[in-house]
Amino acid sequence: MERAHDPWELTRARMVDEQLARRGITDARVLAAMRRVPRHRFVEEALRPRAYGDHPLPIGEEQTISQPYIVGLMTALLELEGGEKVLEIGTGSGYQTAVLAELARRVCSIERLPRLAERARALLEELGYTNVWIRVGSGTLGWPDEAPFDRILVTAGGPAVPPPLFQQLAEGGRMVVPLGDEVNQRLTLVEKVRGEMRTRSHGECKFVKLVGKYAWEA
Ligand code: SAH
């Protein structure tokens, strides 16, 4: 998407080089997408000077926008090629949603908190994304009407893979989900191979709680 001159462009390019490329994220499409998406727009004005820092930031309602490196890592693990239908659980600020929308055909995103969902929806529309659908709801149940999904990304940490999400993953599909306790998780890649679940763990992470029927209590 073409945009007018953006004073944050150099800062953003430096974020991608120093925090992502230098730490081993090599997927050129992911790096290019994160050079494009205006991350500062997804935080409140007072936090904009810190939007490209190497950390998560608060977005209200006790939730956070994930650290750039974690967004890059999760997105790279999905191995998007451009034609996929993606389900995201935990829209939050909508930043990760925008990165996915740059790289996939269509993104369906579920957020349980209406105010965050509304804000993300308005911003993504303003930024010109036309391949994103945001719904308020309980993400551990997935989005059955839109299933199956080629990729699923869960951006909050749960105790185990919610069964409806695995059911809604297409054969050969990939899901990335932080699994662990309420404080620490491991970034987990889940693949569906001939209907069976294969999992591989990709390092420690700290996410806000995944809340819902197949996760933690609110
Ligand atoms: N990708 C977002 C991360 C937001 S934090 C970003 O970078 O901005 C995780 C989000 O998951 C929070 O907004 C939280 O409200 C939401 N969430 C937690 N459990 C959920 C569930 N079961 N269904 C939908 N959203 C959920």
Side-chain angles (χ1 to χ4, degrees):
M1 177 176 323
E2 290 296 324
R3 290 203 184 92
H5 173 70
D6 175 356
W8 296 96
E9 202 172 317
L10 279 177
T11 313
R12 192 157 57 239
R14 200 177 313 132
M15 169 194 88
V16 170
D17 289 347
E18 293 175 359
Q19 300 175 36
L20 280 73
R22 216 176 278 173
R23 289 186 197 148
I25 294 171
T26 55
D27 186 324
R29 293 182 72 240
V30 173
L31 299 177
M34 289 184 64
R35 255 181 232 114
R36 284 194 298 270
V37 177
R39 181 171 164 94
H40 61 281
R41 296 293 309 274
F42 295 83
V43 299
E44 63 180 275
E45 204 130 5
L47 293 178
R48 284 192 184 170
R50 298 173 59 203
Y52 295 98
D54 191 13
H55 43 66
L57 284 170
I59 55 171
E61 314 247 339
E62 295 174 32
Q63 308 303 322
T64 55
I65 177 174
S66 301
Q67 179 190 7
Y69 174 72
I70 292 291
V71 173
L73 180 59
M74 292 194 297
T75 310
L77 286 172
L78 289 176
E79 296 185 358
L80 293 164
E81 289 176 354
E84 297 86 358
K85 185 172 182 182
V86 183
L87 174 66
E88 178 189 39
I89 308 302
T91 317
S93 67
Y95 174 68
Q96 170 79 69
T97 321
V99 174
L100 294 172
E102 295 270 348
L103 296 168
R105 179 171 58 85
R106 180 181 165 128
V107 183
C108 298
S109 186
I110 308 178
E111 169 57 54
R112 60 183 282 268
L113 301 172
R115 284 175 54 193
L116 293 181
E118 280 310 318
R119 201 167 64 194
R121 189 184 284 135
L123 178 57
L124 291 168
E125 195 181 315
E126 188 192 329
L127 293 174
Y129 291 100
T130 54
N131 58 340
V132 172
W133 279 259
I134 294 176
R135 210 189 76 180
V136 177
S138 183
T140 66
L141 304 177
W143 194 326
D145 294 351
E146 290 287 344
F149 296 96
D150 305 303
R151 302 287 187 268
I152 298 179
L153 177 57
V154 184
T155 73
V161 177
L165 296 186
F166 188 70
Q167 275 160 22
Q168 291 171 34
L169 185 64
E171 172 59 32
R174 296 165 80 84
M175 166 168 23
V176 173
V177 50
L179 297 180
D181 59 31
E182 292 174 47
V183 182
N184 294 295
Q185 305 90 32
R186 313 197 107 241
L187 206 52
T188 309
L189 172 66
V190 175
E191 289 175 278
K192 192 183 251 190
V193 183
R194 286 180 290 277
E196 305 264 312
M197 191 185 296
R198 294 213 186 138
T199 65
R200 198 149 29 111
S201 167
H202 285 268
E204 300 286 326
C205 52
K206 270 180 191 284
F207 279 82
V208 298
K209 275 198 301 186
L210 180 68
V211 173
K213 180 164 181 209
Y214 296 101
W216 306 110
E217 280 177 28

